[in-house]
Amino acid sequence: MPKALITGITGQDGSYLAEFLLEKGYDVIGMVRRTSTINFHRISPIQDQVTLVPGDLCDQVSMIHLLEEHRPDEVYNLAAQSFVQTSWNQPVFTGDVTALGVTRLLDAIRFVDPKIRFYQASSSEMFGKVVEVPQRETTPFYPRSPYGVAKVYGHWITINYRESYDMHATSGILFNHESPRRGLEFVTRKITHHVAKIKLGLTHEIRLGNLDARRDWGYAGDYVKAMWLMLQQDQPDDFVIATGETHSVEEFLEVAFGHVNLDWHDYVVQDERFMRPAEVDLLVGDPSKAGRKLGWEPAVSFEQLVKMMVDADIKLLEAGRVAV
């Protein structure tokens, strides 16, 4: 039975990846930080099937002990301070976790067993102020937030360890990927949750920032399969994972509100508080390399994704549960 360690297992991607690997027959180990509040709701259906162990990307010793005890075949580093807006208010913390945390984990792997296959969750935010459209593996980076800068560091240190120590270290440059498990602080889930609340008469407006920003949005459940496929390759490499389509926040609003027969213009208020100091205006990825080498392609369309999220939030609110 192959064994995989997932950092960030309690997050959106970590929960989908854990489910996927369990279906593949893996023994799944999940690294979790010790916090005063337990936040395992995303993995509650599979919690008895995985082994949760304490560890922290800011504490290299904890990761060495974890690797020595469990000896995974594969490590998926999905842990990060992953909210772009927060990175402006906590730039040093973001750099410590999202950038230097990658080095600590890679060095722990090198120390314990350099044959472990490593996946780094890179991000389309690294492209930032894009220099070409669409963005591919060879597109130069121009990050526009502390989060994007930290992800560039994590990406390049992964390449550096791969080339310096002959490690099977791969980066997946994932474009925006969403799901009903997305946190409420992200604009996509903020929209679908508010659409559900408005439809059920629980609120009357939603406040947003830039409606013209364009993103390449896919389904997280599709994207975790690409992560696994990368680590099954004979040689490590870097891959853009995207749909190849771009949509604006306004288009997201149109589909979400239209799904419940409402006009978004009646409920959306633009608020300067949600504008970023430096905006990323257009992201759209070229996933052709992933299709060619991994045999991967997205299964869920943009409209299917938005409607899935709205339906899930309506169901959540109707059941009287607190949104997560």
Side-chain angles (χ1 to χ4, degrees):
M1 181 183 292
K3 186 181 290 188
L5 168 67
I6 303 172
T7 72
I9 193 172
T10 59
Q12 170 188 257
D13 292 7
S15 65
Y16 280 111
L17 178 61
E19 290 175 358
F20 178 85
L21 293 177
L22 286 171
E23 291 174 0
K24 290 284 183 184
Y26 276 68
D27 181 3
V28 176
I29 314 297
M31 189 181 88
V32 293
R33 282 188 306 139
R34 193 214 171 275
T35 61
S36 57
T37 55
I38 303 300
N39 193 26
F40 293 171
H41 57 269
R42 293 186 181 92
I43 60 169
S44 57
I46 60 167
Q47 195 169 337
D48 61 346
Q49 302 174 58
V50 302
T51 302
L52 299 179
V53 294
D56 196 313
L57 288 181
C58 293
D59 184 349
Q60 187 167 355
V61 173
S62 72
M63 289 183 283
I64 290 173
H65 288 327
L66 195 160
L67 292 168
E68 286 180 333
E69 180 179 355
H70 295 280
R71 297 286 172 168
D73 303 292
E74 300 170 0
V75 170
Y76 296 85
N77 183 37
L78 309 185
Q81 190 302 98
S82 60
F83 187 42
V84 174
Q85 193 70 35
T86 295
S87 77
W88 292 105
N89 299 323
Q90 300 182 38
V92 176
F93 172 70
T94 299
D96 195 23
V97 177
T98 307
L100 292 178
V102 185
T103 308
R104 296 187 189 105
L105 183 50
L106 281 165
D107 217 43
I109 291 171
R110 182 177 70 89
F111 177 79
V112 174
D113 181 3
K115 293 184 175 60
I116 293 173
R117 297 192 172 199
F118 176 78
Y119 170 84
Q120 166 61 12
S122 289
S123 168
S124 59
E125 287 288 328
M126 300 188 304
F127 295 120
K129 188 176 181 180
V130 300
V131 299
E132 68 174 351
V133 179
Q135 293 87 56
R136 49 185 63 88
E137 292 81 5
T138 55
T139 301
F141 300 135
Y142 196 146
R144 297 272 280 172
S145 67
Y147 170 78
V149 172
K151 279 294 186 182
V152 169
Y153 177 96
H155 181 83
W156 277 110
I157 200 68
T158 300
I159 293 172
N160 184 259
Y161 269 65
R162 177 170 77 210
E163 295 178 348
S164 300
Y165 303 114
D166 195 28
M167 294 170 63
H168 197 294
T170 286
S171 284
I173 308 172
L174 272 57
F175 280 64
N176 295 67
H177 46 290
E178 317 297 323
S179 77
R181 300 179 193 176
R182 186 54 122 171
L184 284 171
E185 68 272 24
F186 290 85
V187 67
T188 49
R189 181 75 192 288
K190 180 179 179 179
I191 290 171
T192 62
H193 183 62
H194 275 77
V195 167
K197 289 177 71 174
I198 291 168
K199 183 63 177 178
L200 297 175
L202 301 175
T203 191
H204 65 279
E205 72 173 22
I206 173 174
R207 292 181 171 268
L208 297 171
N210 181 14
L211 305 186
D212 297 322
R214 303 183 68 86
R215 295 291 185 272
D216 185 327
W217 277 301
Y219 173 50
D222 289 339
Y223 284 36
V224 298
K225 180 181 180 182
M227 300 176 188
W228 174 77
L229 285 169
M230 290 180 212
L231 294 199
Q232 310 318 303
Q233 304 305 301
D234 292 335
Q235 299 297 323
D237 203 348
D238 304 319
F239 295 90
V240 163
I241 305 299
T243 69
E245 299 178 2
T246 186
H247 300 275
S248 65
V249 175
E250 184 174 318
E251 287 177 73
F252 198 104
L253 288 166
E254 288 174 354
V255 176
F257 277 93
H259 185 49
V260 294
N261 300 311
L262 295 174
D263 185 342
W264 69 270
H265 295 89
D266 297 332
Y267 305 99
V268 175
V269 178
Q270 281 196 278
D271 191 327
E272 289 290 331
R273 292 177 301 166
F274 299 110
M275 297 292 189
R276 297 178 182 176
E279 182 59 87
V280 174
D281 298 312
L282 170 64
L283 291 174
V284 55
D286 175 5
S288 59
K289 180 179 174 181
R292 194 169 62 250
K293 293 195 171 185
L294 304 179
W296 178 88
E297 61 182 22
V300 176
S301 72
F302 172 72
E303 289 201 357
Q304 288 172 326
L305 171 64
V306 178
K307 293 174 181 178
M308 173 202 306
M309 293 175 67
V310 171
D311 289 341
D313 274 321
I314 290 175
K315 185 177 179 180
L316 188 74
L317 291 168
E318 286 180 334
R321 296 198 296 272
V322 177
V324 290

